[in-house]
Amino acid sequence: MVVGCAGSFPGPDAAASGYLVQAEGPDERTGATRTWTVLMDLGNGALGPLQRLADPTALDAIAVSHLHSDHVADLVVLNVLRRYRPGGPCPPVAVHAPEGAAERLALMAGKDPATEVSGQFAFRTWEPGVPVVVGPLTFVPVAVEHPVPAFGFRVTGPSDHDAARTVTLAYTGDTDECPGLTELADGVDLLLAEAAYLEGRDDGLRGVHLTGRRAGLAAAAGGAGRLVLTHIPAWNDPEETLAEARAAYAGPLDLARTGDVHVL
């Protein structure tokens, strides 16, 4: 589910990056089947739509791709919501993130005691290739190319159409072409790929973001079943990005939009 999909800063119609992954599975504590919910990133402005789409106090885990503000800024205010809700503080939720996440959020929060983050978040550092299991979902972090330490995720879980079948979503986070992108795209059912740059205009800016064409090439080479483009800045024409991707990838293709649910 798309919570926010604007690139690099909130746009007029979308918050910055935020996504929900949900799956049905048994709860070991109760034995009952329930919906498990993992939040991937929560950038500037994304806490607003998150409250419309899910319960921010009932997250099972948070997966952070990297520590740029457009992917983590609203974790600071998510902490406030969870800490000061009328029913009392929530139990800490696991936050899987690159090294230094606790320090980065503390710097963003400043010295206001109301935004101190250690009580609500239990930080865990990603190890490339080491799976993290959350209920029926398995996250495998894959190192990608960006100016700061960054990860994409391969997320495997039961199909909503057939619980006996396993499906895989890959989320690139922010990256340029790299071996990690190839690994992420390989054989996935859905590739959620950033496409912040445009061919021709941004050719001199490498090691930061994908174009629609480069996202499409990765999806085609990996045999991805579906490609969804995200992280498109407000100054880009999304139709140009779509056209770039369509020239490289012949499969089902769409833009990420707030509130969209992609069922696998």
Side-chain angles (χ1 to χ4, degrees), residues 23-235:
E24 297 295 311
D27 189 321
E28 292 184 357
R29 294 171 299 178
T30 66
T33 297
R34 67 174 179 89
T35 301
W36 293 76
T37 300
V38 178
L39 175 65
M40 298 193 304
D41 290 344
L42 195 69
N44 314 70
L47 181 57
L50 176 62
Q51 293 172 82
R52 296 196 301 271
L53 299 170
D55 181 356
T57 70
L59 301 171
D60 293 296
I62 299 171
V64 174
S65 65
H66 66 289
L67 301 179
H68 280 156
S69 295
D70 60 318
H71 290 256
V72 300
D74 269 25
L75 289 178
V76 174
V77 285
L78 174 62
N79 162 71
V80 174
L81 183 155
R82 292 173 56 92
R83 185 177 177 187
Y84 291 102
R85 64 174 185 160
C90 298
V93 61
V95 177
H96 301 274
E99 187 174 1
E103 294 80 3
R104 170 67 167 149
L105 293 179
L107 284 171
M108 295 174 68
K111 296 183 179 180
D112 180 357
T115 56
E116 195 275 325
V117 297
S118 63
Q120 279 301 310
F121 300 142
F123 292 96
R124 308 283 186 268
T125 299
W126 291 121
E127 296 182 39
V130 177
V132 170
V133 177
V134 184
L137 297 167
T138 299
F139 284 70
V140 177
V142 178
V144 294
E145 185 174 359
H146 200 53
V148 299
F151 294 88
F153 313 128
R154 287 179 63 96
V155 188
T156 301
S159 168
D160 285 324
H161 300 295
D162 178 4
R165 185 168 68 90
T166 297
V167 292
T168 302
L169 156 74
Y171 168 50
T172 66
D174 284 4
T175 185
D176 199 349
E177 291 176 314
C178 64
L181 177 63
T182 302
E183 180 179 346
L184 287 167
D186 184 27
V188 296
D189 296 276
L190 188 155
L191 177 63
L192 178 62
E194 71 110 307
Y197 283 169
L198 293 174
E199 294 287 321
R201 187 192 70 187
D202 301 315
D203 292 351
L205 304 170
R206 296 309 301 257
V208 185
H209 291 299
L210 296 170
T211 61
R213 177 179 176 274
R214 296 201 290 264
L217 288 171
R226 189 188 314 173
L227 173 61
V228 175
L229 301 173
T230 191
H231 202 274
I232 298 173
W235 52 54

